[in-house]
Amino acid sequence: MDGDDLALFERSLRAAVERRSSAELDHALDDLGWPDALRSDPQAAVSSLFALQGRAHATSDALTGVVADALGIDCDLDTGIVLPAAGRWAAPGRLEGRTLHVHGAALAAFASRSEALVVATAGDDVVAVTVPTASLPRRPVEGIDPWMGLQEIDARGLEATAVPQPVAEGWPAAVARAQLALAHELVGASRRMLELAREHALEREQFGRPIATFQAVRHRLADTLVAIETADALVDAAWLDGTARTAAMAKAVAGREARVASKHCQQVLAGIGFTAEHELHRHVRRVLVLDALFGTSKALTAALGAELAGSRRLPPLLPL
Amino acid sequence: MDLDEYRAGLDAWLEHHAEALAPAHEGKGTLDEQLAQIEKVKRLAFDAGWMRHGWPERVGGLGGSTLLRAYLQEAVTARDLVEPGLFSMQEVLAPTMIDFASPELGAIMVPRLLRGDETWCQGFSEPGTGSNLASLACRAVRDGDTWRVTGQKVWTSLAQYAERCVLLTRTGTVESAHRGITGLFVDMDSPGITVRPIEAVHGSEEFSEVFFDDVVVPAERMLGAEGQGWSVAMDLLPYERSTALWQRAAFLHRRLQQLLELAPADSLDPVRLGEVTQTLYAFRARSRATQHRMADGGTLGPETSIDKVLLATTEQAVFDLFADALAAELTTGDDPASSQWRAEFLYSRAASIYGGSSEIQRNIIARRLLDLGSDR
Ligand SMILES: Cc1cc2nc3c(=O)[nH]c(=O)nc-3n(C[C@H](O)[C@H](O)[C@H](O)COP(=O)(O)OP(=O)(O)OC[C@H]3O[C@@H](n4cnc5c(N)ncnc54)[C@H](O)[C@@H]3O)c2cc1C
């Protein structure tokens, strides 16, 4: 997409994201040609949608689309995909012969699909197995962010009748893409929290002056911007370098920095930000869930550290 | 020449001349040795043309993208050929000379800096003026075709080696604050200048006190017009917070890699190691975007304060990791390698001080990037 196309696309996305939620947003994305954009220009499609979605606290099924696209599996509109359970990034399924065990999560739209694709380890292989959605026991997740519409899936000892399709390198690629999408969403949510805290700091007066004049407040907001820009820079770099490792780093940094943003913004918004009525808490909640999906910041960071301590070799630096 | 061509060419040249370029000293070397090494590397790289790419032709350069300069900085740092902080000073001082010196002066002077024939210093801070640069007091009085300068600067890096100084002086009243400042380009061998080196905590006399006693500076040495000194400072500081930081990431990457090789098994906390690595890669990504913005003709401004905060965080995190993993080397090691790690650990503490402290960067971010208005 060139500059003008991209601007137009983003304007349309913005309208779609701001006015609709979930099923409606999915329809709007289809109408806008977002799935085509995902195929032809994944970075533009993913970065613009997920940043907006994060900012607007919106939900859609786009993450499923991202995973499907990266798996290279042409799933039709009636197929949902099981994602890893919160906190995990390994394939959600395990296939033993024809017996399938699943521990995973899914987005709201999953419920309306008749078939479900489960990526599963099968010995040393990774395969995709299609099963009827109805055969997967689901629990609607309330959790810390009930607006997210997550489902938890736990199934033991299903019989897999369909022939498993090989996905091989597809799973790490899908994880990397999903991590990038979530990182953009985390950055978007963080930017929104900063906007809210900034507006409040300029309006709220104490001691006869706006609290934005107090350095303690200013520095919290400045640190929030540093946190956001740090994450954003690494996410962009991860698209450039294209490795799964950098994508995981970007997700980890975006999660960590979004929690920094939550902390500072919540402090600046103080009492009003602690009311259910104020928008802030929704983002604080969403950030925690987004951080948990496809690996928490903490777990991804520990995994990276363990890998480096083992290999004693830093990955190459992104070239100029 | 495009970046790929330059990269390949410079890498090959560095490889081919490795012996000639290698430092004569072992380990970190004394300050004298470090500077001699920098002069040597600059001269060889200038004469072979590599040092001239990315600089305008009117100051002896060969033109081309500023990315070429960034790559040169990175390449020599990654190979451990120069002390990175001192080497990057040209990236701080030369761009401002190009922007503010008269074309004739720039054409004569800048090549000398690039070729390593001269060392320059930056005379901004004073005993009473650190963060609050606009309150500086070193006075310059107009006397016909000259300025007469009287006052003191402090923490002036490399002043004892420098042939020239980019000096900020007070030419208006003290109350005129940032409006009454004028930039001058001063010969350090002018009568009336006394330089007294100061030993810094990392064991090197990196900076000095500089005294000016009725020093005569010709008017054509003005940087910009009278009273434009604040613009000179505002032009220079973003370079100090951006271009010069690119090679710092290369340096930190090399040191973190060496720490990984050195640290005994289980001495590195995996979570901290992962976090420090992520921070370093994020700093590098941020700095890369800044290099590209500059290469595309953008001007550097307050957004470079984010790069500077990130540098301070990253550099201190890398050396904190070292301090935790190799506490014995840090505290009681007296071999050259330990001394070097220790010096670099101590120097890393300055990353949140020089070039505008991290608090000052946050003030800039709050006022200029978040538009929070005045803090009063
Ligand atoms: C290694 C090194 C090399 C240097 N090289 C040079 C050089 O070549 N040329 C040169 O001119 N200078 C140089 N400096 C000086 C450097 O620019 C100053 O040290 C720096 O600007 C801080 O000034 P200060 O030390 O006077 O601290 P102060 O300004 O006195 O600050 C002390 C503390 O108060 C905080 N503070 C001050 N004002 C505010 C505020 N408004 N809000 C919140 N906190 C505040 C600071 O952040 C700091 O933590 C160098 C310094 C170092 C350490």
Side-chain angles (χ1 to χ4, degrees):
Chain A
M1 274 187 261
D2 69 19
D4 286 347
D5 287 350
L6 191 62
L8 183 66
F9 181 64
E10 287 195 333
R11 254 201 315 282
S12 317
L13 272 186
R14 188 180 298 273
V17 169
E18 273 164 20
R19 282 201 300 274
R20 304 178 183 82
S21 208
S22 230
E24 268 186 289
L25 178 52
D26 290 331
H27 281 300
L29 291 177
D30 272 344
D31 290 347
L32 273 172
W34 187 81
D36 297 330
L38 178 64
R39 242 160 279 136
S40 61
D41 190 348
Q43 179 173 3
V46 170
S47 64
S48 44
L49 172 65
F50 283 88
L52 286 168
Q53 184 165 296
R55 198 181 259 274
H57 192 259
T59 48
S60 72
D61 200 38
L63 187 64
T64 307
V66 168
V67 171
D69 182 62
L71 282 172
I73 289 176
D74 204 16
C75 22
D76 61 40
L77 280 178
D78 209 26
T79 308
I81 294 187
V82 178
L83 308 176
R88 307 166 63 96
W89 63 90
R94 188 160 49 84
L95 191 63
E96 287 168 355
R98 300 183 65 178
T99 309
L100 180 67
H101 308 292
V102 187
H103 174 55
L107 300 170
F110 187 82
S112 61
R113 311 280 195 249
S114 62
E115 297 210 301
L117 190 90
V118 180
V119 176
T121 53
D124 291 338
D125 293 332
V126 183
V127 297
V129 196
T130 306
V131 295
T133 306
S135 69
L136 292 170
R138 293 192 307 277
R139 178 182 75 84
V141 173
E142 277 286 317
I144 199 167
D145 182 5
W147 299 277
M148 179 105 184
L150 268 187
Q151 329 250 317
E152 194 176 80
I153 296 170
D154 255 308
R156 295 199 59 81
L158 282 182
E159 195 189 345
T161 49
V163 182
Q165 300 168 263
V167 294
E169 287 315 298
W171 182 246
V175 170
R177 272 294 153 81
Q179 287 174 332
L180 286 180
L182 290 162
H184 283 294
E185 195 166 351
L186 282 158
V187 169
S190 304
R191 287 200 192 276
R192 179 62 188 153
M193 290 192 287
L194 177 57
E195 240 167 56
L196 293 169
R198 177 185 171 273
E199 281 162 20
H200 180 69
L202 286 167
E203 279 163 17
R204 174 76 174 166
E205 295 198 359
Q206 286 298 293
F207 301 95
R209 50 199 255 213
I211 58 167
T213 59
F214 298 122
Q215 195 175 53
V217 169
R218 297 166 82 86
H219 282 194
R220 276 189 188 272
L221 298 181
D223 280 337
T224 306
L225 185 63
V226 172
I228 292 170
E229 297 301 349
T230 301
D232 218 3
L234 191 55
V235 185
D236 285 347
W239 280 105
L240 263 175
D241 112 338
T243 65
R245 196 196 277 104
T246 314
M249 284 205 235
K251 166 74 168 54
V253 171
R256 186 160 67 236
E257 302 297 13
R259 290 175 67 171
V260 168
S262 303
K263 188 176 84 179
H264 289 321
C265 295
Q266 203 154 29
Q267 187 65 15
V268 169
L269 281 154
I272 190 73
F274 206 71
T275 62
E277 186 189 347
H278 194 279
E279 184 185 328
L280 181 81
H281 75 109
R282 296 183 184 232
H283 299 291
V284 171
R285 292 164 183 274
R286 176 66 44 96
V287 156
L288 290 164
V289 179
L290 297 174
D291 184 36
L293 290 177
F294 285 88
T296 62
S297 173
K298 191 72 166 199
L300 293 171
T301 304
L304 173 67
E307 181 204 325
L308 297 177
S311 70
R312 294 184 176 257
R313 193 80 229 144
L314 285 177
L317 275 175
L318 180 72
L320 196 61
Chain B
M1 193 183 288
D2 77 1
L3 178 60
D4 285 337
E5 199 186 332
Y6 182 82
R7 194 188 333 245
L10 177 60
D11 285 348
W13 182 78
L14 289 169
E15 204 65 46
H16 194 247
H17 295 85
E19 213 169 305
L21 288 161
H25 57 270
E26 276 191 48
K28 195 170 164 64
T30 63
L31 194 53
D32 285 351
E33 288 168 333
Q34 289 172 359
L35 276 157
Q37 170 66 11
I38 285 175
E39 282 165 21
K40 179 176 83 182
V41 170
K42 279 183 164 187
R43 188 160 313 128
L44 291 171
F46 188 94
D47 291 346
W50 301 111
M51 180 58 94
R52 298 170 64 194
H53 288 276
W55 296 100
E57 287 165 22
R58 61 190 171 85
V59 294
L62 296 172
S65 167
T66 54
L67 291 176
L68 309 185
R69 273 154 53 185
Y71 185 69
L72 175 93
Q73 292 275 329
E74 176 184 355
V76 296
T77 305
R79 286 171 177 76
D80 202 5
L81 292 176
V82 293
E83 205 293 321
L86 305 180
F87 187 71
S88 70
M89 282 196 62
Q90 70 183 45
E91 287 295 330
V92 178
L93 296 170
T96 300
M97 270 302 275
I98 293 167
D99 291 347
F100 285 92
S102 69
E104 302 76 43
L105 188 63
I108 297 170
M109 294 297 173
V110 173
R112 298 186 188 172
L113 178 67
L114 298 183
R115 189 168 181 271
D117 297 340
E118 291 191 356
T119 298
W120 297 359
C121 65
Q122 172 190 345
F124 285 18
S125 305
E126 301 178 5
T129 294
S131 300
N132 186 9
L133 192 56
S135 74
L136 64 89
C138 179
R139 179 152 279 291
V141 180
R142 191 75 189 232
D143 178 13
D145 279 347
T146 63
W147 289 96
R148 291 179 168 271
V149 181
T150 300
Q152 186 192 340
K153 295 287 167 179
V154 73
W155 307 312
T156 316
S157 296
L158 302 186
Q160 71 273 40
Y161 295 93
E163 277 83 9
R164 326 275 163 193
C165 180
V166 173
L167 184 72
L168 292 186
T169 59
R170 168 73 49 203
T171 47
T173 59
V174 177
E175 295 72 51
S176 65
H178 62 273
R179 288 183 306 278
I181 296 172
T182 301
L184 297 175
F185 189 63
V186 178
D187 295 341
M188 289 297 283
D189 60 0
S190 308
I193 296 182
T194 310
V195 178
R196 224 180 272 154
I198 310 171
E199 184 171 346
V201 292
H202 63 305
S204 157
E205 291 184 339
E206 168 166 330
F207 47 34
S208 297
E209 291 178 294
V210 185
F211 300 89
F212 297 84
D213 179 13
D214 202 22
V215 174
V216 176
V217 181
E220 63 265 20
R221 289 302 192 82
M222 252 194 305
L223 298 176
E226 177 176 347
Q228 248 198 344
W230 190 250
S231 309
V232 172
M234 291 306 104
D235 186 71
L236 182 145
L237 289 171
Y239 291 113
E240 184 164 8
R241 293 165 191 163
S242 53
T243 332
L245 301 192
W246 173 251
Q247 46 99 290
R248 206 88 199 138
F251 162 68
L252 294 173
H253 187 259
R254 172 161 60 71
R255 291 309 259 159
L256 185 56
Q257 174 59 48
Q258 286 166 339
L259 176 57
L260 267 183
E261 290 160 19
L262 268 179
D266 298 331
S267 65
L268 289 165
D269 168 17
V271 175
R272 282 298 297 152
L273 172 59
E275 214 170 287
V276 171
T277 307
Q278 289 161 352
T279 307
L280 173 58
Y281 282 64
F283 166 50
R284 167 93 171 183
R286 170 80 193 176
S287 184
R288 181 181 186 280
T290 301
Q291 306 312 313
H292 278 267
R293 215 177 46 250
M294 183 169 131
D296 294 344
T299 47
L300 302 179
E303 72 293 337
T304 58
S305 289
I306 291 179
D307 302 48
K308 177 69 205 312
V309 171
L310 201 43
L311 160 76
T313 311
T314 309
E315 178 152 349
Q316 293 176 359
V318 167
F319 286 100
D320 283 340
L321 190 68
F322 152 75
D324 290 340
L326 295 171
E329 283 76 358
L330 171 71
T331 52
T332 55
D334 286 321
D335 56 297
S338 296
S339 304
Q340 179 165 355
W341 279 106
R342 177 158 54 240
E344 287 171 359
F345 169 85
L346 291 169
Y347 192 74
S348 71
R349 307 299 107 172
S352 49
I353 299 171
Y354 60 67
S357 73
S358 292
E359 287 73 31
I360 294 303
Q361 307 304 340
R362 288 182 174 92
N363 289 348
I364 295 171
I365 293 166
R367 200 178 62 248
R368 306 277 306 280
L369 300 181
L370 289 172
D371 209 7
L372 289 176
S374 148
D375 54 4
R376 267 172 261 274

